[in-house]
């Protein structure tokens, strides 16, 4: 069934389909522009001054100390979570029903694979009927995504529980968050699961997700994994980056911090979204914005648990990777500027959680500071300072990546050899250095952008997938 949303021509919604006229102030308050420019220039100038004065070593001490402290704290906590039994028991009875929401724009190549995965789900009643429904928000697709979903859902026996909600019009809000916002949580079942159109899941994913919620967890983030990591180097780097990020988030949660959603594989109890005010329609990173609102209003970090995994397509081209990371970085900066004061002032959060939020947000200062410090040291020919600065930053990342990869296995299921683990930890640490360039670029973009925000989606292509453990 296809439903047209307000804003489509002839629906009597938002009126005629007009392209909005760009305005430099739109979606970017002047205070945010000043703040982002201040962060970029201020941290860079402090780094530059430190790079050619006696301030250098004084600046390095807190930098190295904070990296070492954060690495040790998060790494040890993540290890405890990984070795603990965090998996919800898959055989719990009377599990809640689920609404799977899939925002999709021009995803005909991948979304039918996900529909096939959903057809194999074992979250069913005793008579075999599904205890879930599927809502695909077809966000102005021009490749026939909605029609392909309907045809495939009928073919695999899910036609009666699948809805395609069509968004129309160039004047409507852009982005994944806006697409989600057009599916009100009040119209969903008890548990809402958000999957990207390119997601792949095992047959017990919905049941395990529902079991976590039934066990008393109001929201949970599935671990994200990358398809094709064994065949392509760029995919492998993204896979190890996801492993590292998952270890950090698990560590933050274990230590009482403000761990966060990561978009694909979000599992949330319906009433939690309602209390938080519904889906955030405007942000570039709706997952981070929702995480902050839940934290500020409910005092909850987002648990990352083992045994719940979602697989996704890698970014295949470096240009697309840059665009994606630039969007992530700008979205993260915006969320700190908009939601940061409420999170830091929330009395529902512990002092540890608020300190964690501040520490994690403070990382935005590191790339421009490092750029200024290295530039100053290079001009003054302080090779020792450059080596120590970048070396300390790299060693912390290497140690955390090595620890995060400790629970990874080969395709055959055996633990990684130490040499392989070291090489992959080194490679992903270098890959992560991309953020030293991305964050300053995002700060500059936020300070100078004109017109409304535009969500530039990442292209997805069908990937071969062998079900892990099958």
């Amino acid at each position: 069934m296809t439903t047209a949303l307000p804003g489509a021509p002839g629906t009597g919604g938002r009126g005629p389909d007009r392209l909005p006229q760009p305005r430099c102030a739109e979606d970017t308050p002047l205070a945010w522009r000043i703040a982002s420019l201040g962060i970029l220039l201020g941290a860079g100038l402090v780094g530059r001054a430190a790079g050619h004065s006696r301030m250098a070593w004084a600046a390095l001490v807190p930098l190295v100390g904070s990296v070492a402290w954060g690495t040790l704290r998060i790494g040890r906590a993540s290890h405890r979570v990984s070795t603990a039994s965090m998996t919800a028991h898959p055989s719990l009875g009377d599990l809640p029903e689920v609404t799977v929401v899939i925002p999709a724009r021009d995803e005909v190549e991948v979304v039918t694979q996900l529909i096939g995965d959903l057809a194999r789900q074992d979250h069913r009643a005793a008579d075999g009927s599904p205890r879930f429904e599927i809502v695909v928000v077809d966000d102005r697709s021009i490749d026939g995504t909605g029609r392909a979903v309907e045809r495939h859902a009928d073919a695999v026996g899910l036609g009666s529980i699948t809805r395609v909600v069509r968004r129309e019009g160039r004047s409507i809000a852009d982005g994944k968050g806006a697409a989600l916002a057009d599916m009100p949580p009040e119209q969903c079942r008890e548990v809402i699961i958000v999957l990207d159109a390119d997601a792949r899941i095992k047959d017990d994913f919905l049941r395990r997700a529902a079991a976590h919620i039934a066990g008393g967890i109001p929201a949970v983030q599935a671990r994200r994994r990358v398809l094709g990591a064994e065949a392509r180097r760029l995919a492998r780097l993204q896979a190890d980056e996801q492993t590292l990020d998952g270890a950090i988030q698990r560590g933050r949660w274990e230590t009482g911090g403000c761990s966060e959603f990561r978009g694909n594989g979000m599992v949330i109890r319906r009433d939690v979204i309602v209390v938080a005010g519904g889906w955030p329609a405007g942000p570039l990173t709706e997952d981070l914005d929702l995480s902050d609102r839940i934290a500020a209003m409910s005092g909850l970090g987002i648990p990352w648990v083992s045994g719940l995994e979602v697989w996704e397509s890698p970014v295949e081209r470096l240009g697309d990777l840059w665009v994606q990371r630039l969007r992530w970085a700008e979205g993260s900066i915006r969320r700190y500027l908009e939601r940061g004061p409420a999170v830091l002032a929330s009395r529902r959060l512990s002092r540890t959680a608020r300190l964690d939020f501040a520490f994690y947000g403070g990382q935005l200062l590191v790339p421009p500071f490092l750029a200024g410090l290295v530039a100053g040291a290079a001009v003054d020919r302080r090779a020792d300072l450059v080596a120590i600065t970048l070396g300390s930053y790299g060693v912390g990342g290497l140690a955390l990546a090595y620890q995060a990869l400790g629970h990874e296995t080969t395709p055959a299921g055996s633990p990684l050899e130490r040499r392989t683990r070291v090489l992959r930890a080194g490679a992903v640490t270098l890959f992560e250095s991309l953020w030293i360039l991305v964050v300053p670029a995002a700060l500059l973009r936020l300070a100078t952008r004109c017109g409304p925000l535009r969500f530039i989606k990442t292209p997805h292509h069908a990937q071969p997938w062998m079900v892990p453990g099958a």
Side-chain angles (χ1 to χ4, degrees), residues 88-162:
H89 198 285
S91 61
L92 288 175
D94 196 25
L95 298 180
E97 295 194 352
V98 171
T99 295
V100 180
V101 183
I102 307 169
R105 182 191 297 178
D106 296 328
E107 299 284 15
V108 69
E109 188 174 343
V110 294
V111 70
T112 53
Q113 293 182 322
L114 176 55
I115 297 299
D117 290 349
L118 290 168
R120 291 185 287 272
Q121 293 299 300
D122 61 5
H123 186 44
R124 297 176 180 268
D127 62 0
S129 59
R131 291 182 57 79
F132 60 93
E133 65 174 349
I134 304 167
V135 179
V136 176
V137 183
D138 183 10
D139 188 8
R140 298 162 289 179
S141 297
I142 60 174
D143 67 347
T145 290
R147 292 189 299 275
V149 167
E150 290 175 331
R151 288 195 302 268
H152 200 69
D154 285 336
V156 297
L158 297 181
S160 63
I161 60 165
T162 300

Coordinates of all heavy atoms in Angstrom, one line a residue, residues 88-162:
A88 N 20.8 -10.7 24.7 CA 19.5 -11.0 25.2 C 19.1 -12.4 24.9 O 19.4 -12.9 23.8 CB 18.4 -10.0 24.7
H89 N 18.4 -13.1 25.8 CA 18.1 -14.5 25.5 C 17.1 -14.6 24.4 O 16.0 -14.0 24.4 CB 17.5 -15.1 26.8 CG 17.5 -16.6 26.7 ND1 16.6 -17.3 26.0 CD2 18.3 -17.5 27.3 CE1 16.8 -18.6 26.1 NE2 17.9 -18.8 26.9
P90 N 17.4 -15.3 23.3 CA 16.6 -15.3 22.1 C 15.2 -16.0 22.2 O 14.4 -16.0 21.3 CB 17.4 -15.9 21.0 CG 18.3 -16.9 21.8 CD 18.6 -16.2 23.1
S91 N 15.0 -16.7 23.3 CA 13.8 -17.6 23.4 C 12.8 -17.0 24.4 O 11.9 -17.7 24.8 CB 14.2 -19.0 23.9 OG 14.8 -19.0 25.1
L92 N 13.0 -15.7 24.8 CA 12.0 -15.1 25.7 C 10.6 -15.1 25.0 O 10.4 -14.8 23.8 CB 12.4 -13.6 26.0 CG 13.6 -13.5 26.9 CD1 14.0 -12.0 27.0 CD2 13.3 -14.0 28.3
G93 N 9.6 -15.4 25.8 CA 8.2 -15.5 25.2 C 7.5 -14.1 25.3 O 8.0 -13.2 26.0
D94 N 6.5 -14.0 24.5 CA 5.6 -12.8 24.5 C 6.4 -11.6 24.3 O 6.3 -10.6 25.0 CB 4.8 -12.7 25.8 CG 3.7 -11.8 25.7 OD1 3.2 -11.6 24.6 OD2 3.3 -11.2 26.7
L95 N 7.2 -11.6 23.2 CA 8.1 -10.4 22.9 C 7.2 -9.3 22.3 O 6.2 -9.6 21.6 CB 9.2 -10.8 22.0 CG 10.2 -11.8 22.5 CD1 11.3 -12.1 21.5 CD2 10.8 -11.3 23.8
P96 N 7.6 -8.1 22.4 CA 6.8 -7.0 21.8 C 6.8 -7.0 20.3 O 7.8 -7.5 19.7 CB 7.5 -5.7 22.4 CG 8.8 -6.1 22.7 CD 8.7 -7.6 23.2
E97 N 5.8 -6.4 19.7 CA 5.7 -6.3 18.2 C 6.6 -5.2 17.8 O 6.9 -4.2 18.5 CB 4.3 -6.2 17.8 CG 3.4 -7.4 18.1 CD 2.1 -7.4 17.3 OE1 1.8 -6.4 16.7 OE2 1.4 -8.4 17.3
V98 N 7.0 -5.2 16.5 CA 8.0 -4.3 16.0 C 7.5 -3.6 14.7 O 6.9 -4.3 13.9 CB 9.3 -5.1 15.7 CG1 10.3 -4.3 14.9 CG2 9.9 -5.7 17.0
T99 N 7.9 -2.4 14.6 CA 7.7 -1.7 13.3 C 9.1 -1.4 12.8 O 10.0 -0.7 13.5 CB 7.0 -0.3 13.5 OG1 5.6 -0.6 13.9 CG2 6.9 0.4 12.1
V100 N 9.4 -1.9 11.6 CA 10.7 -1.7 10.9 C 10.5 -0.5 10.0 O 9.7 -0.5 9.1 CB 11.2 -2.9 10.2 CG1 12.5 -2.6 9.5 CG2 11.3 -4.1 11.1
V101 N 11.2 0.6 10.2 CA 11.1 1.8 9.4 C 12.4 1.9 8.5 O 13.5 1.9 9.1 CB 11.0 3.1 10.2 CG1 10.8 4.3 9.3 CG2 9.8 2.9 11.2
I102 N 12.2 2.0 7.2 CA 13.3 2.1 6.3 C 13.2 3.3 5.4 O 12.4 3.4 4.5 CB 13.3 0.8 5.4 CG1 13.2 -0.5 6.2 CG2 14.5 0.8 4.4 CD1 12.9 -1.7 5.4
P103 N 14.0 4.4 5.7 CA 14.0 5.5 4.8 C 14.8 5.2 3.6 O 15.8 4.6 3.6 CB 14.7 6.6 5.6 CG 15.0 6.0 7.0 CD 14.9 4.5 6.9
A104 N 14.2 5.5 2.4 CA 14.9 5.1 1.2 C 14.7 6.1 0.1 O 13.6 6.6 -0.2 CB 14.3 3.8 0.7
R105 N 15.8 6.5 -0.5 CA 15.7 7.4 -1.7 C 16.6 6.8 -2.8 O 17.8 6.7 -2.7 CB 16.2 8.8 -1.4 CG 16.1 9.8 -2.6 CD 16.9 11.1 -2.4 NE 16.3 11.8 -1.3 CZ 16.8 13.0 -0.8 NH1 17.9 13.5 -1.4 NH2 16.3 13.6 0.2
D106 N 15.9 6.4 -3.9 CA 16.6 5.8 -5.0 C 17.5 4.6 -4.6 O 18.7 4.6 -4.8 CB 17.5 6.8 -5.7 CG 16.6 7.9 -6.4 OD1 15.5 7.6 -6.8 OD2 17.1 9.1 -6.4
E107 N 16.9 3.7 -3.9 CA 17.6 2.5 -3.4 C 17.1 1.2 -4.0 O 17.1 0.2 -3.3 CB 17.4 2.5 -1.8 CG 18.0 3.7 -1.1 CD 19.5 3.7 -1.0 OE1 20.1 2.9 -1.7 OE2 20.0 4.4 -0.2
V108 N 16.6 1.2 -5.2 CA 16.0 0.0 -5.8 C 17.0 -1.1 -5.9 O 16.6 -2.3 -5.8 CB 15.4 0.4 -7.2 CG1 16.5 0.7 -8.2 CG2 14.5 -0.8 -7.7
E109 N 18.3 -0.8 -6.0 CA 19.3 -1.8 -6.1 C 19.5 -2.6 -4.9 O 20.0 -3.8 -4.9 CB 20.6 -1.2 -6.6 CG 21.7 -2.2 -7.0 CD 22.9 -1.5 -7.5 OE1 22.9 -0.4 -7.9 OE2 24.0 -2.2 -7.6
V110 N 19.2 -2.0 -3.7 CA 19.6 -2.7 -2.4 C 18.4 -3.1 -1.6 O 18.4 -4.0 -0.8 CB 20.6 -1.9 -1.6 CG1 21.9 -1.8 -2.3 CG2 20.1 -0.5 -1.3
V111 N 17.3 -2.3 -1.7 CA 16.2 -2.4 -0.7 C 15.5 -3.7 -0.8 O 15.0 -4.3 0.2 CB 15.2 -1.2 -0.8 CG1 14.4 -1.3 -2.1 CG2 14.3 -1.1 0.5
T112 N 15.4 -4.3 -2.0 CA 14.7 -5.6 -2.1 C 15.5 -6.7 -1.4 O 14.9 -7.7 -0.9 CB 14.5 -6.0 -3.6 OG1 15.8 -5.9 -4.3 CG2 13.6 -5.0 -4.2
Q113 N 16.8 -6.6 -1.3 CA 17.6 -7.6 -0.5 C 17.2 -7.5 0.9 O 17.1 -8.6 1.6 CB 19.1 -7.3 -0.6 CG 19.7 -7.5 -2.0 CD 21.2 -7.3 -2.1 OE1 21.7 -6.4 -1.4 NE2 21.9 -8.1 -2.8
L114 N 17.0 -6.3 1.5 CA 16.6 -6.2 2.9 C 15.2 -6.7 3.1 O 14.9 -7.4 4.1 CB 16.6 -4.7 3.3 CG 16.2 -4.4 4.7 CD1 16.9 -5.2 5.8 CD2 16.3 -2.9 5.0
I115 N 14.3 -6.5 2.1 CA 13.0 -7.1 2.2 C 13.0 -8.6 2.3 O 12.3 -9.3 3.0 CB 12.1 -6.6 1.0 CG1 11.9 -5.1 1.1 CG2 10.7 -7.3 1.1 CD1 11.2 -4.6 2.3
G116 N 13.9 -9.2 1.5 CA 14.2 -10.6 1.5 C 14.6 -11.1 2.9 O 14.2 -12.1 3.4
D117 N 15.6 -10.3 3.5 CA 16.0 -10.7 4.9 C 14.9 -10.6 5.9 O 14.8 -11.4 6.8 CB 17.1 -9.7 5.3 CG 18.4 -9.9 4.5 OD1 18.5 -10.9 3.8 OD2 19.3 -9.0 4.6
L118 N 14.0 -9.6 5.7 CA 12.9 -9.5 6.7 C 11.9 -10.6 6.5 O 11.3 -11.1 7.5 CB 12.2 -8.1 6.4 CG 13.0 -6.9 6.9 CD1 12.4 -5.6 6.4 CD2 13.1 -6.8 8.4
A119 N 11.8 -11.1 5.3 CA 10.9 -12.3 5.0 C 11.3 -13.5 5.8 O 10.5 -14.4 6.1 CB 10.7 -12.6 3.6
R120 N 12.6 -13.6 6.1 CA 13.2 -14.8 6.8 C 13.2 -14.6 8.3 O 13.7 -15.5 9.0 CB 14.6 -15.1 6.2 CG 14.6 -15.6 4.8 CD 16.0 -16.0 4.3 NE 16.8 -14.8 4.1 CZ 16.9 -14.1 3.0 NH1 16.2 -14.5 1.9 NH2 17.7 -13.1 2.8
Q121 N 12.7 -13.5 8.8 CA 12.8 -13.3 10.2 C 11.9 -14.3 11.0 O 10.8 -14.6 10.6 CB 12.3 -11.8 10.6 CG 13.3 -10.8 10.0 CD 14.7 -10.9 10.6 OE1 14.8 -10.8 11.8 NE2 15.7 -11.1 9.8
D122 N 12.4 -14.7 12.2 CA 11.7 -15.7 13.0 C 10.9 -15.0 14.1 O 10.5 -15.7 15.1 CB 12.6 -16.7 13.5 CG 13.7 -16.2 14.4 OD1 13.7 -15.0 14.7 OD2 14.6 -17.0 14.8
H123 N 10.8 -13.7 14.1 CA 10.0 -13.0 15.1 C 8.5 -13.2 14.7 O 7.9 -12.3 14.1 CB 10.4 -11.6 15.2 CG 9.8 -10.8 16.3 ND1 9.6 -11.3 17.6 CD2 9.2 -9.6 16.4 CE1 9.0 -10.5 18.4 NE2 8.7 -9.4 17.7
R124 N 7.9 -14.3 15.1 CA 6.6 -14.7 14.7 C 5.8 -15.3 15.8 O 6.3 -15.7 16.8 CB 6.7 -15.6 13.5 CG 7.4 -15.1 12.3 CD 7.6 -16.1 11.1 NE 8.2 -15.4 10.0 CZ 7.6 -14.9 9.0 NH1 6.2 -14.9 9.0 NH2 8.2 -14.3 8.0
A125 N 4.5 -15.2 15.6 CA 3.6 -15.8 16.6 C 3.6 -17.4 16.4 O 4.2 -17.9 15.4 CB 2.2 -15.3 16.4
A126 N 2.8 -18.1 17.3 CA 2.8 -19.5 17.2 C 2.2 -20.0 15.9 O 2.6 -21.1 15.4 CB 2.0 -20.1 18.4
D127 N 1.4 -19.2 15.3 CA 0.8 -19.7 14.0 C 1.6 -19.3 12.8 O 1.2 -19.5 11.6 CB -0.6 -19.1 13.8 CG -0.7 -17.6 13.8 OD1 0.4 -17.0 13.9 OD2 -1.8 -17.0 13.7
G128 N 2.8 -18.7 13.0 CA 3.7 -18.3 12.0 C 3.5 -16.9 11.4 O 4.3 -16.5 10.6
S129 N 2.5 -16.2 11.9 CA 2.3 -14.8 11.4 C 3.3 -13.9 12.0 O 3.8 -14.0 13.1 CB 0.9 -14.4 11.8 OG 0.7 -14.4 13.2
P130 N 3.8 -12.9 11.2 CA 4.9 -12.0 11.6 C 4.4 -11.2 12.8 O 3.3 -10.7 12.8 CB 5.1 -11.2 10.4 CG 4.6 -12.0 9.2 CD 3.4 -12.7 9.8
R131 N 5.3 -11.0 13.8 CA 5.0 -10.0 14.8 C 5.8 -8.7 14.5 O 6.4 -8.1 15.4 CB 5.5 -10.6 16.2 CG 4.6 -11.8 16.6 CD 5.1 -12.3 18.0 NE 5.1 -11.3 19.0 CZ 4.0 -10.9 19.7 NH1 2.8 -11.4 19.4 NH2 4.1 -10.0 20.6
F132 N 5.7 -8.3 13.3 CA 6.3 -7.1 12.9 C 5.6 -6.6 11.6 O 4.9 -7.3 10.9 CB 7.8 -7.3 12.6 CG 8.1 -8.3 11.5 CD1 8.3 -7.8 10.2 CD2 8.3 -9.6 11.8 CE1 8.6 -8.8 9.1 CE2 8.6 -10.5 10.7 CZ 8.7 -10.1 9.4
E133 N 5.8 -5.3 11.4 CA 5.4 -4.6 10.2 C 6.5 -3.9 9.5 O 7.5 -3.6 10.2 CB 4.2 -3.7 10.4 CG 4.6 -2.5 11.3 CD 3.4 -1.5 11.5 OE1 2.4 -1.6 10.7 OE2 3.6 -0.6 12.3
I134 N 6.4 -3.5 8.3 CA 7.5 -2.8 7.5 C 6.9 -1.5 7.0 O 5.8 -1.6 6.3 CB 8.0 -3.7 6.4 CG1 8.5 -5.0 6.9 CG2 9.1 -3.0 5.7 CD1 8.8 -6.1 5.9
V135 N 7.6 -0.4 7.2 CA 7.2 0.8 6.6 C 8.4 1.4 5.9 O 9.5 1.6 6.5 CB 6.8 1.9 7.7 CG1 6.4 3.2 7.0 CG2 5.6 1.4 8.5
V136 N 8.3 1.5 4.6 CA 9.4 2.1 3.7 C 8.9 3.5 3.4 O 7.9 3.7 2.8 CB 9.6 1.2 2.5 CG1 10.6 1.9 1.6 CG2 10.0 -0.2 2.8
V137 N 9.7 4.5 3.8 CA 9.5 5.9 3.5 C 10.2 6.2 2.2 O 11.4 6.3 2.2 CB 9.9 6.8 4.6 CG1 9.5 8.3 4.3 CG2 9.3 6.4 5.9
D138 N 9.5 6.2 1.1 CA 10.0 6.4 -0.2 C 10.2 7.9 -0.4 O 9.3 8.6 -0.7 CB 9.1 5.8 -1.3 CG 9.7 6.0 -2.7 OD1 10.8 6.3 -2.8 OD2 8.9 5.7 -3.7
D139 N 11.4 8.4 -0.2 CA 11.7 9.8 -0.2 C 12.0 10.4 -1.6 O 13.2 10.5 -1.9 CB 12.9 10.1 0.8 CG 13.1 11.6 1.1 OD1 12.3 12.4 0.7 OD2 14.1 11.9 1.7
R140 N 11.0 10.6 -2.3 CA 11.1 11.3 -3.6 C 12.0 10.5 -4.6 O 12.7 11.0 -5.5 CB 11.7 12.7 -3.5 CG 10.8 13.6 -2.7 CD 11.6 14.9 -2.2 NE 12.5 14.5 -1.1 CZ 13.3 15.4 -0.5 NH1 13.3 16.6 -0.9 NH2 14.1 15.0 0.4
S141 N 12.0 9.2 -4.5 CA 12.8 8.3 -5.4 C 12.3 8.5 -6.9 O 11.1 8.6 -7.1 CB 12.7 6.9 -5.0 OG 13.2 6.7 -3.7
I142 N 13.2 8.4 -7.8 CA 12.9 8.5 -9.2 C 13.3 7.2 -9.9 O 13.2 7.1 -11.1 CB 13.6 9.7 -9.9 CG1 15.1 9.6 -9.8 CG2 13.0 11.0 -9.3 CD1 15.8 10.6 -10.5
D143 N 13.7 6.2 -9.2 CA 14.1 4.9 -9.8 C 13.1 3.8 -9.5 O 13.5 2.6 -9.8 CB 15.5 4.5 -9.2 CG 15.5 4.1 -7.8 OD1 14.5 4.4 -7.1 OD2 16.5 3.6 -7.3
G144 N 12.0 4.1 -9.0 CA 11.0 3.0 -8.8 C 11.2 2.3 -7.5 O 10.7 1.1 -7.4
T145 N 11.8 2.9 -6.5 CA 12.1 2.2 -5.2 C 10.7 1.7 -4.6 O 10.6 0.5 -4.2 CB 12.8 3.1 -4.3 OG1 14.1 3.3 -4.7 CG2 12.8 2.5 -2.9
G146 N 9.7 2.6 -4.5 CA 8.5 2.2 -3.9 C 7.8 1.0 -4.6 O 7.3 0.1 -3.9
R147 N 7.7 1.1 -5.9 CA 7.1 0.0 -6.6 C 7.8 -1.3 -6.5 O 7.2 -2.4 -6.3 CB 7.0 0.4 -8.1 CG 6.0 1.5 -8.4 CD 5.8 1.7 -9.8 NE 7.0 2.1 -10.6 CZ 7.5 3.3 -10.7 NH1 6.9 4.3 -10.1 NH2 8.6 3.5 -11.4
A148 N 9.2 -1.2 -6.5 CA 10.0 -2.4 -6.3 C 9.7 -3.1 -4.9 O 9.7 -4.3 -4.8 CB 11.5 -2.1 -6.5
V149 N 9.6 -2.2 -3.9 CA 9.3 -2.8 -2.6 C 8.0 -3.5 -2.5 O 7.9 -4.6 -2.0 CB 9.4 -1.6 -1.5 CG1 8.8 -2.1 -0.2 CG2 10.8 -1.1 -1.3
E150 N 7.0 -2.9 -3.1 CA 5.6 -3.5 -3.1 C 5.6 -4.8 -3.8 O 5.1 -5.8 -3.3 CB 4.6 -2.5 -3.7 CG 4.4 -1.3 -2.8 CD 3.5 -0.3 -3.5 OE1 3.5 -0.2 -4.8 OE2 2.8 0.4 -2.8
R151 N 6.3 -4.8 -5.0 CA 6.3 -6.1 -5.8 C 7.0 -7.2 -5.0 O 6.6 -8.3 -4.9 CB 7.0 -5.9 -7.1 CG 6.1 -5.0 -8.1 CD 6.7 -5.2 -9.5 NE 8.1 -4.7 -9.6 CZ 8.4 -3.5 -9.9 NH1 7.5 -2.6 -10.2 NH2 9.7 -3.1 -10.0
H152 N 8.2 -6.8 -4.4 CA 9.0 -7.8 -3.8 C 8.3 -8.3 -2.5 O 8.4 -9.5 -2.1 CB 10.4 -7.3 -3.5 CG 11.4 -8.4 -3.2 ND1 11.8 -9.3 -4.2 CD2 12.1 -8.8 -2.1 CE1 12.7 -10.1 -3.7 NE2 12.9 -9.8 -2.4
A153 N 7.7 -7.4 -1.7 CA 7.0 -7.7 -0.5 C 5.9 -8.7 -0.8 O 5.7 -9.7 -0.1 CB 6.5 -6.5 0.2
D154 N 5.2 -8.5 -1.9 CA 4.1 -9.4 -2.3 C 4.7 -10.8 -2.6 O 4.2 -11.8 -2.3 CB 3.3 -8.9 -3.5 CG 2.4 -7.7 -3.1 OD1 2.0 -7.7 -1.9 OD2 2.1 -6.9 -4.0
A155 N 5.8 -10.8 -3.3 CA 6.5 -12.0 -3.8 C 6.9 -12.9 -2.6 O 6.9 -14.1 -2.7 CB 7.6 -11.7 -4.8
V156 N 7.4 -12.3 -1.5 CA 7.9 -13.0 -0.4 C 6.9 -13.2 0.7 O 7.3 -13.6 1.8 CB 9.2 -12.4 0.1 CG1 10.3 -12.4 -1.0 CG2 9.0 -11.0 0.6
G157 N 5.7 -12.8 0.5 CA 4.6 -13.0 1.5 C 4.5 -12.0 2.5 O 3.9 -12.2 3.6
L158 N 5.0 -10.8 2.3 CA 5.0 -9.7 3.3 C 4.1 -8.6 2.8 O 4.1 -7.5 3.5 CB 6.4 -9.2 3.6 CG 7.4 -10.2 4.2 CD1 8.7 -9.5 4.5 CD2 6.8 -10.8 5.5
G159 N 3.4 -8.7 1.8 CA 2.6 -7.6 1.2 C 1.6 -7.1 2.2 O 1.4 -5.9 2.2
S160 N 1.0 -7.9 3.0 CA -0.1 -7.5 3.9 C 0.5 -6.6 5.1 O -0.3 -5.9 5.8 CB -0.9 -8.7 4.5 OG 0.0 -9.5 5.2
I161 N 1.8 -6.7 5.4 CA 2.3 -6.0 6.5 C 3.3 -5.0 6.1 O 4.1 -4.5 6.9 CB 3.0 -7.0 7.5 CG1 4.1 -7.7 6.9 CG2 2.0 -7.9 8.2 CD1 5.1 -8.4 7.8
T162 N 3.3 -4.7 4.8 CA 4.3 -3.7 4.3 C 3.6 -2.5 3.7 O 2.6 -2.6 3.0 CB 5.1 -4.3 3.1 OG1 5.9 -5.4 3.6 CG2 6.1 -3.3 2.6

